[in-house]
Amino acid sequence: MQKIATRIFIYASLVFGVLGIAVVLTQPKDDSLLSKLLFVTVFIILPSFALSVAGKYLNGKS
């Protein structure tokens, strides 16, 4: 059961990252490039942290 939950968490993290980046890049506001890069970085760092934690549980390490 934990393996299934971990896999769902991995997929949700990936979808969160991809959709977050897509929203930032396609928003019609005239935001500066720097703020868009900041938000894109957030949507890369958060899922990568979640994936590293989930990977430890998927491999059986605590």
Side-chain angles (χ1 to χ4, degrees):
M1 190 66 163
Q2 183 179 359
K3 250 187 183 177
I4 295 170
T6 306
R7 289 196 185 271
I8 291 171
F9 182 71
I10 288 172
Y11 293 132
S13 298
L14 289 172
V15 169
F16 173 77
V18 170
L19 289 179
I21 292 171
V23 165
V24 169
L25 294 179
T26 59
Q27 62 181 325
K29 292 183 181 178
D30 292 330
D31 288 340
S32 68
L33 179 63
L34 189 59
S35 69
K36 284 189 178 189
L37 287 176
L38 176 68
F39 283 117
V40 166
T41 305
V42 167
F43 284 113
I44 291 172
I45 291 174
L46 287 178
S48 66
F49 176 70
L51 291 175
S52 69
V53 171
K56 288 181 184 178
Y57 284 106
L58 196 58
N59 291 334
K61 300 176 187 174
S62 305

